[in-house]
Amino acid sequence: MIKKIALSIFIQITSFQICSNATNYEEDNFLIVEVVTPAKQVYDDGIYRVQFSSFYVVDEVGNKIISSGEVFDYAAKIKLKEGFYTIFYKNLTGKLAQKEINITKGNMLQIRLD
């Protein structure tokens, strides 16, 4: 009985390590991107806060990859694979604008949109 329990625990630990290694390998192809969209000061619950505008990202074949609504205080951070993308965002006048980006290997990238 104890041997079966020990064997079961050993198998679970081994499979967890294999899954962790596979995940780490896949993560190497991603880059963290901080998307700093146009921002404005808004009054919220008694304080003024910075509100960043919404955006969405489209890959080179036109598929929407990720989107972000308006966020407060800190610019949104997303994770993208290497490749070419287009970011669509609203500028401060409310018009839809876009910027093309090329994601290459690295740790982190900051994109400032006007």
PDB file of all heavy atoms in Angstrom, residues 30-67:
ATOM      1  N   PHE A  30       8.120  34.257 -26.435  1.00  0.00           N
ATOM      2  CA  PHE A  30       7.229  35.362 -26.130  1.00  0.00           C
ATOM      3  C   PHE A  30       8.008  36.557 -25.602  1.00  0.00           C
ATOM      4  O   PHE A  30       9.097  36.415 -25.066  1.00  0.00           O
ATOM      5  CB  PHE A  30       6.199  34.946 -25.072  1.00  0.00           C
ATOM      6  CG  PHE A  30       5.137  34.044 -25.594  1.00  0.00           C
ATOM      7  CD1 PHE A  30       5.264  32.673 -25.495  1.00  0.00           C
ATOM      8  CD2 PHE A  30       4.000  34.563 -26.182  1.00  0.00           C
ATOM      9  CE1 PHE A  30       4.286  31.829 -25.969  1.00  0.00           C
ATOM     10  CE2 PHE A  30       3.009  33.728 -26.666  1.00  0.00           C
ATOM     11  CZ  PHE A  30       3.148  32.364 -26.556  1.00  0.00           C
ATOM     12  N   LEU A  31       7.407  37.723 -25.745  1.00  0.00           N
ATOM     13  CA  LEU A  31       7.991  38.952 -25.244  1.00  0.00           C
ATOM     14  C   LEU A  31       6.902  39.727 -24.514  1.00  0.00           C
ATOM     15  O   LEU A  31       5.764  39.802 -24.981  1.00  0.00           O
ATOM     16  CB  LEU A  31       8.525  39.784 -26.417  1.00  0.00           C
ATOM     17  CG  LEU A  31       9.189  41.103 -26.085  1.00  0.00           C
ATOM     18  CD1 LEU A  31      10.543  40.854 -25.422  1.00  0.00           C
ATOM     19  CD2 LEU A  31       9.396  41.914 -27.342  1.00  0.00           C
ATOM     20  N   ILE A  32       7.235  40.278 -23.362  1.00  0.00           N
ATOM     21  CA  ILE A  32       6.300  41.128 -22.624  1.00  0.00           C
ATOM     22  C   ILE A  32       6.351  42.513 -23.249  1.00  0.00           C
ATOM     23  O   ILE A  32       7.417  43.098 -23.403  1.00  0.00           O
ATOM     24  CB  ILE A  32       6.664  41.207 -21.135  1.00  0.00           C
ATOM     25  CG1 ILE A  32       6.687  39.824 -20.498  1.00  0.00           C
ATOM     26  CG2 ILE A  32       5.711  42.140 -20.398  1.00  0.00           C
ATOM     27  CD1 ILE A  32       5.356  39.126 -20.485  1.00  0.00           C
ATOM     28  N   VAL A  33       5.183  43.046 -23.615  1.00  0.00           N
ATOM     29  CA  VAL A  33       5.094  44.348 -24.264  1.00  0.00           C
ATOM     30  C   VAL A  33       4.213  45.253 -23.407  1.00  0.00           C
ATOM     31  O   VAL A  33       3.055  44.923 -23.136  1.00  0.00           O
ATOM     32  CB  VAL A  33       4.494  44.231 -25.684  1.00  0.00           C
ATOM     33  CG1 VAL A  33       4.398  45.593 -26.343  1.00  0.00           C
ATOM     34  CG2 VAL A  33       5.306  43.268 -26.533  1.00  0.00           C
ATOM     35  N   GLU A  34       4.778  46.379 -22.977  1.00  0.00           N
ATOM     36  CA  GLU A  34       3.992  47.381 -22.268  1.00  0.00           C
ATOM     37  C   GLU A  34       3.481  48.363 -23.314  1.00  0.00           C
ATOM     38  O   GLU A  34       4.272  48.995 -24.008  1.00  0.00           O
ATOM     39  CB  GLU A  34       4.832  48.106 -21.221  1.00  0.00           C
ATOM     40  CG  GLU A  34       4.044  49.145 -20.459  1.00  0.00           C
ATOM     41  CD  GLU A  34       4.871  49.866 -19.421  1.00  0.00           C
ATOM     42  OE1 GLU A  34       6.064  50.095 -19.674  1.00  0.00           O
ATOM     43  OE2 GLU A  34       4.327  50.206 -18.371  1.00  0.00           O
ATOM     44  N   VAL A  35       2.171  48.475 -23.430  1.00  0.00           N
ATOM     45  CA  VAL A  35       1.554  49.331 -24.444  1.00  0.00           C
ATOM     46  C   VAL A  35       1.065  50.605 -23.748  1.00  0.00           C
ATOM     47  O   VAL A  35       0.072  50.582 -23.025  1.00  0.00           O
ATOM     48  CB  VAL A  35       0.396  48.618 -25.158  1.00  0.00           C
ATOM     49  CG1 VAL A  35      -0.204  49.512 -26.228  1.00  0.00           C
ATOM     50  CG2 VAL A  35       0.864  47.298 -25.755  1.00  0.00           C
ATOM     51  N   VAL A  36       1.790  51.696 -23.960  1.00  0.00           N
ATOM     52  CA  VAL A  36       1.442  52.972 -23.336  1.00  0.00           C
ATOM     53  C   VAL A  36       0.588  53.755 -24.327  1.00  0.00           C
ATOM     54  O   VAL A  36       1.100  54.380 -25.254  1.00  0.00           O
ATOM     55  CB  VAL A  36       2.705  53.766 -22.946  1.00  0.00           C
ATOM     56  CG1 VAL A  36       2.316  55.059 -22.235  1.00  0.00           C
ATOM     57  CG2 VAL A  36       3.627  52.926 -22.076  1.00  0.00           C
ATOM     58  N   THR A  37      -0.718  53.673 -24.143  1.00  0.00           N
ATOM     59  CA  THR A  37      -1.665  54.367 -25.022  1.00  0.00           C
ATOM     60  C   THR A  37      -1.862  55.796 -24.520  1.00  0.00           C
ATOM     61  O   THR A  37      -1.477  56.119 -23.397  1.00  0.00           O
ATOM     62  CB  THR A  37      -3.014  53.629 -25.048  1.00  0.00           C
ATOM     63  OG1 THR A  37      -3.498  53.502 -23.711  1.00  0.00           O
ATOM     64  CG2 THR A  37      -2.884  52.258 -25.685  1.00  0.00           C
ATOM     65  N   PRO A  38      -2.466  56.657 -25.340  1.00  0.00           N
ATOM     66  CA  PRO A  38      -2.758  58.015 -24.879  1.00  0.00           C
ATOM     67  C   PRO A  38      -3.572  57.968 -23.578  1.00  0.00           C
ATOM     68  O   PRO A  38      -4.441  57.114 -23.411  1.00  0.00           O
ATOM     69  CB  PRO A  38      -3.577  58.617 -26.021  1.00  0.00           C
ATOM     70  CG  PRO A  38      -3.136  57.848 -27.232  1.00  0.00           C
ATOM     71  CD  PRO A  38      -2.884  56.463 -26.734  1.00  0.00           C
ATOM     72  N   ALA A  39      -3.269  58.890 -22.665  1.00  0.00           N
ATOM     73  CA  ALA A  39      -3.906  58.879 -21.350  1.00  0.00           C
ATOM     74  C   ALA A  39      -4.456  60.252 -21.007  1.00  0.00           C
ATOM     75  O   ALA A  39      -4.014  61.266 -21.543  1.00  0.00           O
ATOM     76  CB  ALA A  39      -2.898  58.429 -20.304  1.00  0.00           C
ATOM     77  N   LYS A  40      -5.412  60.239 -20.104  1.00  0.00           N
ATOM     78  CA  LYS A  40      -5.975  61.493 -19.608  1.00  0.00           C
ATOM     79  C   LYS A  40      -6.214  61.352 -18.113  1.00  0.00           C
ATOM     80  O   LYS A  40      -6.305  60.243 -17.584  1.00  0.00           O
ATOM     81  CB  LYS A  40      -7.271  61.835 -20.339  1.00  0.00           C
ATOM     82  CG  LYS A  40      -8.356  60.786 -20.202  1.00  0.00           C
ATOM     83  CD  LYS A  40      -9.576  61.132 -21.028  1.00  0.00           C
ATOM     84  CE  LYS A  40     -10.586  59.981 -20.960  1.00  0.00           C
ATOM     85  NZ  LYS A  40     -11.747  60.232 -21.782  1.00  0.00           N
ATOM     86  N   GLN A  41      -6.289  62.480 -17.435  1.00  0.00           N
ATOM     87  CA  GLN A  41      -6.591  62.495 -16.009  1.00  0.00           C
ATOM     88  C   GLN A  41      -8.106  62.490 -15.839  1.00  0.00           C
ATOM     89  O   GLN A  41      -8.805  63.270 -16.480  1.00  0.00           O
ATOM     90  CB  GLN A  41      -6.016  63.750 -15.364  1.00  0.00           C
ATOM     91  CG  GLN A  41      -4.508  63.774 -15.318  1.00  0.00           C
ATOM     92  CD  GLN A  41      -3.989  63.411 -13.945  1.00  0.00           C
ATOM     93  OE1 GLN A  41      -4.666  63.561 -12.957  1.00  0.00           O
ATOM     94  NE2 GLN A  41      -2.773  62.923 -13.905  1.00  0.00           N
ATOM     95  N   VAL A  42      -8.599  61.599 -14.982  1.00  0.00           N
ATOM     96  CA  VAL A  42     -10.027  61.553 -14.683  1.00  0.00           C
ATOM     97  C   VAL A  42     -10.211  61.540 -13.167  1.00  0.00           C
ATOM     98  O   VAL A  42      -9.375  61.035 -12.429  1.00  0.00           O
ATOM     99  CB  VAL A  42     -10.719  60.321 -15.316  1.00  0.00           C
ATOM    100  CG1 VAL A  42     -10.703  60.393 -16.815  1.00  0.00           C
ATOM    101  CG2 VAL A  42     -10.098  59.038 -14.847  1.00  0.00           C
ATOM    102  N   TYR A  43     -11.310  62.120 -12.733  1.00  0.00           N
ATOM    103  CA  TYR A  43     -11.639  62.157 -11.309  1.00  0.00           C
ATOM    104  C   TYR A  43     -12.418  60.897 -10.980  1.00  0.00           C
ATOM    105  O   TYR A  43     -13.466  60.628 -11.559  1.00  0.00           O
ATOM    106  CB  TYR A  43     -12.470  63.406 -11.007  1.00  0.00           C
ATOM    107  CG  TYR A  43     -12.685  63.636  -9.543  1.00  0.00           C
ATOM    108  CD1 TYR A  43     -11.656  64.115  -8.743  1.00  0.00           C
ATOM    109  CD2 TYR A  43     -13.922  63.386  -8.958  1.00  0.00           C
ATOM    110  CE1 TYR A  43     -11.848  64.342  -7.386  1.00  0.00           C
ATOM    111  CE2 TYR A  43     -14.132  63.612  -7.613  1.00  0.00           C
ATOM    112  CZ  TYR A  43     -13.089  64.084  -6.823  1.00  0.00           C
ATOM    113  OH  TYR A  43     -13.275  64.304  -5.486  1.00  0.00           O
ATOM    114  N   ASP A  44     -11.916  60.074 -10.041  1.00  0.00           N
ATOM    115  CA  ASP A  44     -12.527  58.797  -9.716  1.00  0.00           C
ATOM    116  C   ASP A  44     -12.483  58.576  -8.209  1.00  0.00           C
ATOM    117  O   ASP A  44     -11.398  58.485  -7.622  1.00  0.00           O
ATOM    118  CB  ASP A  44     -11.792  57.667 -10.444  1.00  0.00           C
ATOM    119  CG  ASP A  44     -12.405  56.307 -10.187  1.00  0.00           C
ATOM    120  OD1 ASP A  44     -13.638  56.182 -10.263  1.00  0.00           O
ATOM    121  OD2 ASP A  44     -11.632  55.372  -9.901  1.00  0.00           O
ATOM    122  N   ASP A  45     -13.626  58.503  -7.580  1.00  0.00           N
ATOM    123  CA  ASP A  45     -13.740  58.234  -6.138  1.00  0.00           C
ATOM    124  C   ASP A  45     -12.881  59.157  -5.278  1.00  0.00           C
ATOM    125  O   ASP A  45     -12.175  58.718  -4.372  1.00  0.00           O
ATOM    126  CB  ASP A  45     -13.387  56.776  -5.834  1.00  0.00           C
ATOM    127  CG  ASP A  45     -14.447  55.804  -6.314  1.00  0.00           C
ATOM    128  OD1 ASP A  45     -15.607  56.231  -6.459  1.00  0.00           O
ATOM    129  OD2 ASP A  45     -14.114  54.632  -6.541  1.00  0.00           O
ATOM    130  N   GLY A  46     -12.909  60.432  -5.578  1.00  0.00           N
ATOM    131  CA  GLY A  46     -12.233  61.403  -4.730  1.00  0.00           C
ATOM    132  C   GLY A  46     -10.793  61.702  -5.084  1.00  0.00           C
ATOM    133  O   GLY A  46     -10.157  62.522  -4.421  1.00  0.00           O
ATOM    134  N   ILE A  47     -10.241  61.032  -6.093  1.00  0.00           N
ATOM    135  CA  ILE A  47      -8.859  61.307  -6.503  1.00  0.00           C
ATOM    136  C   ILE A  47      -8.772  61.388  -8.028  1.00  0.00           C
ATOM    137  O   ILE A  47      -9.636  60.879  -8.732  1.00  0.00           O
ATOM    138  CB  ILE A  47      -7.866  60.226  -5.994  1.00  0.00           C
ATOM    139  CG1 ILE A  47      -8.246  58.841  -6.540  1.00  0.00           C
ATOM    140  CG2 ILE A  47      -7.785  60.218  -4.486  1.00  0.00           C
ATOM    141  CD1 ILE A  47      -7.208  57.783  -6.249  1.00  0.00           C
ATOM    142  N   TYR A  48      -7.728  62.042  -8.476  1.00  0.00           N
ATOM    143  CA  TYR A  48      -7.471  62.072  -9.919  1.00  0.00           C
ATOM    144  C   TYR A  48      -6.577  60.891 -10.272  1.00  0.00           C
ATOM    145  O   TYR A  48      -5.581  60.624  -9.596  1.00  0.00           O
ATOM    146  CB  TYR A  48      -6.787  63.382 -10.311  1.00  0.00           C
ATOM    147  CG  TYR A  48      -7.752  64.540 -10.341  1.00  0.00           C
ATOM    148  CD1 TYR A  48      -7.888  65.381  -9.243  1.00  0.00           C
ATOM    149  CD2 TYR A  48      -8.542  64.766 -11.465  1.00  0.00           C
ATOM    150  CE1 TYR A  48      -8.793  66.430  -9.269  1.00  0.00           C
ATOM    151  CE2 TYR A  48      -9.447  65.818 -11.503  1.00  0.00           C
ATOM    152  CZ  TYR A  48      -9.565  66.635 -10.398  1.00  0.00           C
ATOM    153  OH  TYR A  48     -10.462  67.674 -10.419  1.00  0.00           O
ATOM    154  N   ARG A  49      -6.965  60.188 -11.327  1.00  0.00           N
ATOM    155  CA  ARG A  49      -6.213  59.014 -11.769  1.00  0.00           C
ATOM    156  C   ARG A  49      -5.918  59.134 -13.256  1.00  0.00           C
ATOM    157  O   ARG A  49      -6.642  59.794 -13.993  1.00  0.00           O
ATOM    158  CB  ARG A  49      -7.020  57.743 -11.513  1.00  0.00           C
ATOM    159  CG  ARG A  49      -7.339  57.534 -10.047  1.00  0.00           C
ATOM    160  CD  ARG A  49      -8.258  56.380  -9.841  1.00  0.00           C
ATOM    161  NE  ARG A  49      -7.577  55.121 -10.133  1.00  0.00           N
ATOM    162  CZ  ARG A  49      -8.188  53.947 -10.143  1.00  0.00           C
ATOM    163  NH1 ARG A  49      -9.473  53.859  -9.890  1.00  0.00           N
ATOM    164  NH2 ARG A  49      -7.526  52.858 -10.414  1.00  0.00           N
ATOM    165  N   VAL A  50      -4.873  58.442 -13.687  1.00  0.00           N
ATOM    166  CA  VAL A  50      -4.526  58.390 -15.106  1.00  0.00           C
ATOM    167  C   VAL A  50      -5.303  57.244 -15.740  1.00  0.00           C
ATOM    168  O   VAL A  50      -5.280  56.118 -15.243  1.00  0.00           O
ATOM    169  CB  VAL A  50      -3.006  58.170 -15.295  1.00  0.00           C
ATOM    170  CG1 VAL A  50      -2.665  58.032 -16.770  1.00  0.00           C
ATOM    171  CG2 VAL A  50      -2.220  59.291 -14.650  1.00  0.00           C
ATOM    172  N   GLN A  51      -6.004  57.548 -16.834  1.00  0.00           N
ATOM    173  CA  GLN A  51      -6.775  56.526 -17.539  1.00  0.00           C
ATOM    174  C   GLN A  51      -6.202  56.364 -18.941  1.00  0.00           C
ATOM    175  O   GLN A  51      -6.217  57.287 -19.746  1.00  0.00           O
ATOM    176  CB  GLN A  51      -8.239  56.920 -17.626  1.00  0.00           C
ATOM    177  CG  GLN A  51      -9.098  55.882 -18.303  1.00  0.00           C
ATOM    178  CD  GLN A  51     -10.553  56.318 -18.394  1.00  0.00           C
ATOM    179  OE1 GLN A  51     -10.849  57.503 -18.461  1.00  0.00           O
ATOM    180  NE2 GLN A  51     -11.444  55.349 -18.388  1.00  0.00           N
ATOM    181  N   PHE A  52      -5.663  55.175 -19.216  1.00  0.00           N
ATOM    182  CA  PHE A  52      -5.093  54.858 -20.524  1.00  0.00           C
ATOM    183  C   PHE A  52      -6.203  54.350 -21.440  1.00  0.00           C
ATOM    184  O   PHE A  52      -7.093  53.614 -21.012  1.00  0.00           O
ATOM    185  CB  PHE A  52      -3.994  53.798 -20.392  1.00  0.00           C
ATOM    186  CG  PHE A  52      -2.786  54.290 -19.657  1.00  0.00           C
ATOM    187  CD1 PHE A  52      -2.667  54.130 -18.280  1.00  0.00           C
ATOM    188  CD2 PHE A  52      -1.767  54.934 -20.337  1.00  0.00           C
ATOM    189  CE1 PHE A  52      -1.556  54.586 -17.606  1.00  0.00           C
ATOM    190  CE2 PHE A  52      -0.653  55.396 -19.669  1.00  0.00           C
ATOM    191  CZ  PHE A  52      -0.549  55.232 -18.295  1.00  0.00           C
ATOM    192  N   SER A  53      -6.142  54.724 -22.712  1.00  0.00           N
ATOM    193  CA  SER A  53      -7.197  54.330 -23.647  1.00  0.00           C
ATOM    194  C   SER A  53      -7.092  52.862 -24.035  1.00  0.00           C
ATOM    195  O   SER A  53      -6.071  52.217 -23.834  1.00  0.00           O
ATOM    196  CB  SER A  53      -7.167  55.220 -24.899  1.00  0.00           C
ATOM    197  OG  SER A  53      -5.992  55.017 -25.624  1.00  0.00           O
ATOM    198  N   SER A  54      -8.167  52.352 -24.604  1.00  0.00           N
ATOM    199  CA  SER A  54      -8.237  50.944 -24.997  1.00  0.00           C
ATOM    200  C   SER A  54      -7.464  50.704 -26.295  1.00  0.00           C
ATOM    201  O   SER A  54      -7.173  51.634 -27.043  1.00  0.00           O
ATOM    202  CB  SER A  54      -9.693  50.529 -25.167  1.00  0.00           C
ATOM    203  OG  SER A  54     -10.302  51.316 -26.159  1.00  0.00           O
ATOM    204  N   PHE A  55      -7.158  49.443 -26.559  1.00  0.00           N
ATOM    205  CA  PHE A  55      -6.470  49.066 -27.795  1.00  0.00           C
ATOM    206  C   PHE A  55      -6.729  47.604 -28.093  1.00  0.00           C
ATOM    207  O   PHE A  55      -7.205  46.851 -27.245  1.00  0.00           O
ATOM    208  CB  PHE A  55      -4.956  49.316 -27.692  1.00  0.00           C
ATOM    209  CG  PHE A  55      -4.251  48.407 -26.718  1.00  0.00           C
ATOM    210  CD1 PHE A  55      -3.694  47.206 -27.136  1.00  0.00           C
ATOM    211  CD2 PHE A  55      -4.143  48.746 -25.388  1.00  0.00           C
ATOM    212  CE1 PHE A  55      -3.045  46.371 -26.250  1.00  0.00           C
ATOM    213  CE2 PHE A  55      -3.491  47.923 -24.488  1.00  0.00           C
ATOM    214  CZ  PHE A  55      -2.933  46.731 -24.920  1.00  0.00           C
ATOM    215  N   TYR A  56      -6.422  47.214 -29.338  1.00  0.00           N
ATOM    216  CA  TYR A  56      -6.414  45.798 -29.691  1.00  0.00           C
ATOM    217  C   TYR A  56      -5.285  45.544 -30.685  1.00  0.00           C
ATOM    218  O   TYR A  56      -4.822  46.450 -31.368  1.00  0.00           O
ATOM    219  CB  TYR A  56      -7.764  45.300 -30.212  1.00  0.00           C
ATOM    220  CG  TYR A  56      -8.263  45.928 -31.486  1.00  0.00           C
ATOM    221  CD1 TYR A  56      -8.020  45.337 -32.724  1.00  0.00           C
ATOM    222  CD2 TYR A  56      -9.012  47.107 -31.465  1.00  0.00           C
ATOM    223  CE1 TYR A  56      -8.497  45.902 -33.895  1.00  0.00           C
ATOM    224  CE2 TYR A  56      -9.493  47.668 -32.631  1.00  0.00           C
ATOM    225  CZ  TYR A  56      -9.230  47.063 -33.839  1.00  0.00           C
ATOM    226  OH  TYR A  56      -9.700  47.622 -34.997  1.00  0.00           O
ATOM    227  N   VAL A  57      -4.825  44.288 -30.719  1.00  0.00           N
ATOM    228  CA  VAL A  57      -3.675  43.905 -31.538  1.00  0.00           C
ATOM    229  C   VAL A  57      -4.124  42.890 -32.581  1.00  0.00           C
ATOM    230  O   VAL A  57      -4.838  41.938 -32.272  1.00  0.00           O
ATOM    231  CB  VAL A  57      -2.558  43.297 -30.665  1.00  0.00           C
ATOM    232  CG1 VAL A  57      -1.359  42.892 -31.509  1.00  0.00           C
ATOM    233  CG2 VAL A  57      -2.141  44.268 -29.575  1.00  0.00           C
ATOM    234  N   VAL A  58      -3.678  43.117 -33.833  1.00  0.00           N
ATOM    235  CA  VAL A  58      -4.007  42.246 -34.960  1.00  0.00           C
ATOM    236  C   VAL A  58      -2.703  41.690 -35.516  1.00  0.00           C
ATOM    237  O   VAL A  58      -1.718  42.421 -35.653  1.00  0.00           O
ATOM    238  CB  VAL A  58      -4.770  43.053 -36.045  1.00  0.00           C
ATOM    239  CG1 VAL A  58      -5.018  42.226 -37.273  1.00  0.00           C
ATOM    240  CG2 VAL A  58      -6.059  43.601 -35.483  1.00  0.00           C
ATOM    241  N   ASP A  59      -2.685  40.381 -35.834  1.00  0.00           N
ATOM    242  CA  ASP A  59      -1.470  39.802 -36.419  1.00  0.00           C
ATOM    243  C   ASP A  59      -1.387  40.144 -37.907  1.00  0.00           C
ATOM    244  O   ASP A  59      -2.263  40.806 -38.449  1.00  0.00           O
ATOM    245  CB  ASP A  59      -1.373  38.295 -36.164  1.00  0.00           C
ATOM    246  CG  ASP A  59      -2.454  37.486 -36.859  1.00  0.00           C
ATOM    247  OD1 ASP A  59      -3.200  38.043 -37.688  1.00  0.00           O
ATOM    248  OD2 ASP A  59      -2.556  36.280 -36.575  1.00  0.00           O
ATOM    249  N   GLU A  60      -0.334  39.647 -38.564  1.00  0.00           N
ATOM    250  CA  GLU A  60      -0.088  40.034 -39.957  1.00  0.00           C
ATOM    251  C   GLU A  60      -1.114  39.500 -40.954  1.00  0.00           C
ATOM    252  O   GLU A  60      -1.202  39.990 -42.064  1.00  0.00           O
ATOM    253  CB  GLU A  60       1.325  39.670 -40.380  1.00  0.00           C
ATOM    254  CG  GLU A  60       1.677  38.206 -40.260  1.00  0.00           C
ATOM    255  CD  GLU A  60       3.154  37.961 -40.493  1.00  0.00           C
ATOM    256  OE1 GLU A  60       3.795  38.734 -41.220  1.00  0.00           O
ATOM    257  OE2 GLU A  60       3.677  36.991 -39.934  1.00  0.00           O
ATOM    258  N   VAL A  61      -1.920  38.511 -40.554  1.00  0.00           N
ATOM    259  CA  VAL A  61      -2.965  38.012 -41.456  1.00  0.00           C
ATOM    260  C   VAL A  61      -4.344  38.573 -41.108  1.00  0.00           C
ATOM    261  O   VAL A  61      -5.337  38.201 -41.716  1.00  0.00           O
ATOM    262  CB  VAL A  61      -3.005  36.461 -41.488  1.00  0.00           C
ATOM    263  CG1 VAL A  61      -1.781  35.890 -42.157  1.00  0.00           C
ATOM    264  CG2 VAL A  61      -3.207  35.889 -40.114  1.00  0.00           C
ATOM    265  N   GLY A  62      -4.413  39.463 -40.111  1.00  0.00           N
ATOM    266  CA  GLY A  62      -5.663  40.131 -39.781  1.00  0.00           C
ATOM    267  C   GLY A  62      -6.458  39.538 -38.638  1.00  0.00           C
ATOM    268  O   GLY A  62      -7.575  39.979 -38.376  1.00  0.00           O
ATOM    269  N   ASN A  63      -5.906  38.550 -37.932  1.00  0.00           N
ATOM    270  CA  ASN A  63      -6.601  37.961 -36.790  1.00  0.00           C
ATOM    271  C   ASN A  63      -6.401  38.821 -35.550  1.00  0.00           C
ATOM    272  O   ASN A  63      -5.267  39.191 -35.233  1.00  0.00           O
ATOM    273  CB  ASN A  63      -6.082  36.552 -36.501  1.00  0.00           C
ATOM    274  CG  ASN A  63      -6.335  35.605 -37.637  1.00  0.00           C
ATOM    275  OD1 ASN A  63      -7.388  35.645 -38.264  1.00  0.00           O
ATOM    276  ND2 ASN A  63      -5.363  34.765 -37.933  1.00  0.00           N
ATOM    277  N   LYS A  64      -7.486  39.107 -34.843  1.00  0.00           N
ATOM    278  CA  LYS A  64      -7.372  39.851 -33.589  1.00  0.00           C
ATOM    279  C   LYS A  64      -6.751  38.919 -32.544  1.00  0.00           C
ATOM    280  O   LYS A  64      -7.276  37.841 -32.273  1.00  0.00           O
ATOM    281  CB  LYS A  64      -8.731  40.341 -33.110  1.00  0.00           C
ATOM    282  CG  LYS A  64      -8.638  41.220 -31.870  1.00  0.00           C
ATOM    283  CD  LYS A  64     -10.010  41.550 -31.306  1.00  0.00           C
ATOM    284  CE  LYS A  64     -10.510  42.848 -31.837  1.00  0.00           C
ATOM    285  NZ  LYS A  64     -11.749  43.287 -31.148  1.00  0.00           N
ATOM    286  N   ILE A  65      -5.620  39.341 -31.980  1.00  0.00           N
ATOM    287  CA  ILE A  65      -4.871  38.510 -31.040  1.00  0.00           C
ATOM    288  C   ILE A  65      -5.280  38.794 -29.600  1.00  0.00           C
ATOM    289  O   ILE A  65      -5.518  37.886 -28.822  1.00  0.00           O
ATOM    290  CB  ILE A  65      -3.352  38.744 -31.198  1.00  0.00           C
ATOM    291  CG1 ILE A  65      -2.908  38.427 -32.617  1.00  0.00           C
ATOM    292  CG2 ILE A  65      -2.551  37.939 -30.196  1.00  0.00           C
ATOM    293  CD1 ILE A  65      -3.151  37.007 -33.035  1.00  0.00           C
ATOM    294  N   ILE A  66      -5.324  40.068 -29.240  1.00  0.00           N
ATOM    295  CA  ILE A  66      -5.611  40.449 -27.859  1.00  0.00           C
ATOM    296  C   ILE A  66      -6.189  41.855 -27.854  1.00  0.00           C
ATOM    297  O   ILE A  66      -5.914  42.643 -28.752  1.00  0.00           O
ATOM    298  CB  ILE A  66      -4.334  40.359 -26.984  1.00  0.00           C
ATOM    299  CG1 ILE A  66      -4.670  40.467 -25.511  1.00  0.00           C
ATOM    300  CG2 ILE A  66      -3.317  41.400 -27.383  1.00  0.00           C
ATOM    301  CD1 ILE A  66      -3.522  40.049 -24.607  1.00  0.00           C
ATOM    302  N   SER A  67      -6.990  42.142 -26.847  1.00  0.00           N
ATOM    303  CA  SER A  67      -7.526  43.495 -26.714  1.00  0.00           C
ATOM    304  C   SER A  67      -7.499  43.885 -25.246  1.00  0.00           C
ATOM    305  O   SER A  67      -7.475  43.035 -24.351  1.00  0.00           O
ATOM    306  CB  SER A  67      -8.936  43.586 -27.269  1.00  0.00           C
ATOM    307  OG  SER A  67      -9.805  42.732 -26.567  1.00  0.00           O
TER     308      SER A  67
END
